[in-house]
């Protein structure tokens, strides 16, 4: 019998890569999808025939319970979130409801429907915020700097609390930024690669950005979903940092992207206060050695390869008359 997995957030960047990965492992894959007035299945349409999509919403406890009863999964991957940091300042309550309380709703549904289900929570390096230690690892104290980061800290601790209170196989992956050609256009890597491609093709003349000094540990989403799966294959639930161990500034990102297409970024990048944040996370760099030792996980795509992969994909998209969704 094939194993069954339920993915919340299957229409997102990570959900689409994880669904592909699990299908390749022979899983029967279920995805929770919320009702929207326009269908947004563009990241999963190439595999939609192989997926079982179930309506539900992280804000609606009953829908989560029904979804679990319907698909009877052995594994649940909770990737659903209001995941854009900047939006969390303008929609802090909504962000808390989905990204924090949503985790409790799902864990509680699991506890009642089938406490043997293995649970993965998408925790984030944003929890480290104003970092207390460099590099950050599983034991580094949290100091979140946005309503999103605060919500993720709640989600992280409620996962640990349900593990300890009810003996659930509940695991948190503390993932550092990971990107891909399927990254949402509002995140800085994709915003840069998409606009560099547009500038190269004569479809845009400038790129407006916020803080160029912040540093991130950027990896490839395709590598990171493999780590999620590995975590749930362990006998014991635990928490793991997933990172490349390298950090780059936004300015370096911009420089690598423009120079790949033989352009000088100084000619095109304009700093714009609209993209500055009320509080910034200045430096993230993760120590993924525990994941290396216990899971045998290592990243395979380098920073430069990642940016080039994203630019190549954006050039192809634009040349074929498409646009970022
Ligand atoms: P995306 O923003 O691309 O995807 C978020 C997903 O959550 C979408 O499928 C979205 O559905 C769904 N969602 C949002 N609200 C609800 C709701 N109320 N009910 C049901 N589904 C909902 O995020 P990523 O794929 O990049 O990230 C996946 C997870 O990992 C998120 O929890 C994110 O916070 C976390 N994370 C991401 C990192 C990264 O660098 N990418 C790093 C660390 C953590 P819809 O399509 O309908 O909007
Ligand atoms: P982040 O990703 O906040 O780290 O959260 P994002 O790409 O939005 O920002 C990274 C850094 O770039 C700076 N920046 C800009 N960011 C955006 N989006 N747009 C701009 O124009 C811009 N200019 C500069 C930001 O200030 C920031 O310092 C992502 C999300 O996927 C979270 O869900 C996840 O938890 C974390 O990564 C790990």
């Amino acid at each position: 019998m094939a194993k069954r997995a339920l993915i919340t957030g299957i229409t997102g960047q990570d959900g689409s890569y994880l669904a592909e990965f699990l299908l390749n492992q022979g899983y029967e894959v279920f995805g929770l999808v919320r009702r929207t007035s326009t269908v947004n299945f563009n990241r999963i349409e190439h595999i939609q025939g192989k997926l079982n999509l179930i309506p539900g919403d992280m804000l609606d406890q009953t829908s989560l319970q029904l979804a679990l009863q319907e698909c009877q999964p052995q594994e649940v991957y909770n990737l659903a979130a209001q995941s854009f940091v900047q939006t969390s300042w303008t929609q802090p309550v909504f962000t808390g409801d989905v990204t924090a309380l949503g985790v409790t709703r799902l864990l509680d549904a699991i506890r009642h429907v089938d406490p043997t289900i293995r649970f993965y929570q998408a925790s984030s390096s944003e929890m480290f915020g104003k970092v207390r230690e460099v590099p950050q690892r599983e034991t580094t104290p949290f100091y979140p700097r946005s309503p999103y980061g605060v919500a993720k800290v709640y989600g992280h601790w409620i996962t640990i609390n349900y593990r300890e209170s009810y003996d659930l196989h509940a695991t948190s992956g503390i993932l550092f930024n990971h990107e891909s050609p399927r990254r949402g256009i509002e995140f800085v890597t994709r915003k840069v690669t998409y606009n560099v491609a547009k500038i190269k093709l004569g479809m845009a003349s400038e790129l407006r950005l916020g803080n160029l000094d912040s540093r991130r540990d950027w990896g490839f989403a395709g590598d990171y979903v493999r780590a999620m799966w590995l975590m749930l294959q362990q006998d014991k639930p635990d928490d793991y940092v997933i990172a490349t161990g390298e950090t780059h500034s936004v300015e370096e990102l911009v420089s690598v992207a423009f120079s790949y297409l033989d352009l000088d970024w100084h000619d095109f990048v304009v700093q714009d206060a609209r993209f500055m944040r009320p509080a910034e996370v200045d430096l993230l760099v993760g120590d993924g050695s525990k994941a290396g030792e216990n899971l045998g996980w290592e990243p395979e795509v380098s920073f430069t390869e990642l940016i080039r992969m994203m630019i190549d994909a954006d050039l192809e998209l634009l040349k074929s008359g498409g646009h970022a969704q």
Side-chain angles (χ1 to χ4, degrees):
M1 279 271 283
K3 266 197 191 173
R4 287 181 303 279
L6 173 65
I7 303 174
T8 73
I10 196 164
T11 53
Q13 172 190 252
D14 291 8
S16 66
Y17 281 106
L18 181 62
E20 280 172 5
F21 178 84
L22 294 176
L23 286 171
N24 284 337
Q25 300 287 323
Y27 278 68
E28 201 176 335
V29 179
F30 295 79
L32 188 86
V33 288
R34 59 177 170 166
R35 197 265 161 182
T36 48
S37 64
T38 309
V39 172
N40 63 348
F41 292 171
N42 54 304
R43 293 190 181 101
I44 51 170
E45 61 195 4
H46 61 293
I47 48 171
Q48 209 177 320
K50 299 178 189 160
L51 302 173
N52 305 281
L53 300 180
I54 304 179
D57 198 300
M58 297 306 289
L59 299 177
D60 188 312
Q61 178 81 31
T62 306
S63 72
L64 300 179
Q65 197 135 343
L66 288 172
L68 291 173
Q69 281 162 349
E70 185 178 331
C71 67
Q72 299 185 17
Q74 284 85 29
E75 296 174 8
V76 169
Y77 295 85
N78 183 35
L79 310 185
Q82 190 303 95
S83 78
F84 187 41
V85 172
Q86 186 126 25
T87 292
S88 75
W89 276 285
T90 51
Q91 299 179 33
V93 176
F94 173 73
T95 301
D97 211 349
V98 178
T99 305
L101 280 180
V103 189
T104 309
R105 291 190 189 97
L106 187 51
L107 281 165
D108 218 53
I110 287 175
R111 178 166 86 84
H112 285 105
V113 173
D114 177 3
T116 68
I117 291 171
R118 295 187 174 197
F119 176 79
Y120 173 84
Q121 167 59 14
S123 283
S124 163
S125 52
E126 279 293 300
M127 302 189 302
F128 297 122
K130 191 169 179 178
V131 297
R132 308 283 86 190
E133 179 176 37
V134 179
Q136 297 84 50
R137 48 191 169 158
E138 292 78 4
T139 51
T140 303
F142 299 137
Y143 192 144
R145 292 274 279 172
S146 62
Y148 168 82
V150 173
K152 281 289 179 187
V153 171
Y154 175 96
H156 185 77
W157 279 109
I158 200 70
T159 300
I160 293 171
N161 180 261
Y162 268 60
R163 174 162 86 211
E164 294 176 354
S165 303
Y166 305 114
D167 207 19
L168 297 188
H169 193 294
T171 281
S172 256
I174 308 176
L175 272 51
F176 282 62
N177 299 52
H178 45 278
E179 321 294 314
S180 72
R182 296 182 201 164
R183 186 58 142 155
I185 188 68
E186 66 275 34
F187 299 94
V188 75
T189 49
R190 183 76 197 287
K191 186 174 171 181
V192 168
T193 63
Y194 186 62
N195 282 288
V196 166
K198 276 180 104 172
I199 289 169
K200 184 70 183 177
L201 297 176
M203 298 163 80
S205 55
E206 65 172 25
L207 168 57
R208 305 187 84 85
L209 293 173
N211 180 14
L212 301 183
D213 298 328
S214 54
R215 304 182 70 85
R216 291 290 183 276
D217 180 330
W218 278 295
F220 172 52
D223 286 343
Y224 285 44
V225 298
R226 187 162 34 87
M228 296 176 188
W229 175 77
L230 283 168
M231 285 181 222
L232 291 203
Q233 309 318 304
Q234 306 306 303
D235 291 339
K236 282 201 168 143
D238 204 343
D239 307 316
Y240 294 94
V241 159
I242 301 297
T244 69
E246 259 185 48
T247 188
H248 299 275
S249 66
V250 174
E251 186 176 314
E252 279 171 65
L253 157 72
V254 163
S255 169
V256 167
F258 277 86
S259 61
Y260 180 47
L261 296 189
D262 301 316
L263 299 166
D264 182 347
W265 68 271
H266 298 93
D267 297 337
F268 303 99
V269 171
V270 179
Q271 271 199 300
D272 187 330
R274 283 182 302 152
F275 301 110
M276 298 287 189
R277 297 174 179 187
E280 182 59 279
V281 171
D282 297 322
L283 163 74
L284 290 175
V285 56
D287 173 359
S289 52
K290 179 174 166 183
E293 282 157 29
N294 296 7
L295 309 177
W297 181 86
E298 298 292 341
E300 287 173 8
V301 177
S302 74
F303 173 70
T304 306
E305 284 168 348
L306 172 65
I307 302 309
R308 292 180 173 187
M309 174 207 299
M310 291 173 70
I311 293 175
D312 288 343
D314 278 325
L315 281 171
E316 203 173 313
L317 176 73
L318 289 162
K319 281 180 187 166
S320 65
H323 58 88
Q325 310 218 352

